[in-house]
Amino acid sequence: MPSITFMKSNTEYLFRDVIPLTECRENMKFGCKTGNCGICRVKIISGTENITRQTPKEKRLFKALNIEDPSIRLACQCLITGDVTLLENYME
């Protein structure tokens, strides 16, 4: 069974199939949940191949914030398909 490991809270979330990271709201902060505010930023430590590609909303917001690191994602825009380790509530 695949898992999402949250490094700050030292917790693991097991799931089946595909799961949006918004399902894990007890492990991280969310604001708008639509890709506009950036509060739900995470840094992917491992498992990038198990996350959907960056959405146009992420690209737009990261361009405005001058964020070029591909390992930084908006949790509200991610679907997880396999094992992932991330640093939740990531603010540079």
Side-chain angles (χ1 to χ4, degrees):
M1 185 174 297
S3 69
I4 304 167
T5 303
F6 297 91
M7 294 183 66
K8 281 187 180 179
S9 60
N10 194 29
T11 58
E12 183 178 49
Y13 190 94
L14 301 174
F15 66 96
R16 296 182 192 273
D17 297 324
V18 175
I19 185 172
L21 270 176
T22 53
E23 294 273 326
C24 306
R25 56 190 159 272
E26 66 275 357
N27 294 96
M28 60 187 119
K29 296 177 191 173
F30 286 97
C32 66
K33 295 184 187 170
T34 60
N36 291 319
C37 71
I39 290 174
C40 65
R41 255 183 281 174
V42 297
K43 182 171 180 77
I44 307 304
I45 305 304
S46 67
T48 55
E49 68 278 6
N50 296 322
I51 302 173
T52 51
R53 292 185 177 190
Q54 207 177 55
T55 66
K57 288 184 176 186
E58 285 178 286
K59 289 177 183 178
R60 179 185 44 79
L61 181 65
F62 291 159
K63 183 176 181 179
L65 296 175
N66 201 28
I67 295 173
E68 297 179 9
D69 184 345
S71 69
I72 298 174
R73 299 292 306 273
L74 296 178
C76 70
Q77 299 295 297
C78 295
L79 295 176
I80 309 299
T81 61
D83 293 336
V84 170
T85 300
L86 58 84
L87 186 58
E88 65 271 30
N89 304 318
Y90 182 77
M91 296 294 168
E92 295 179 288

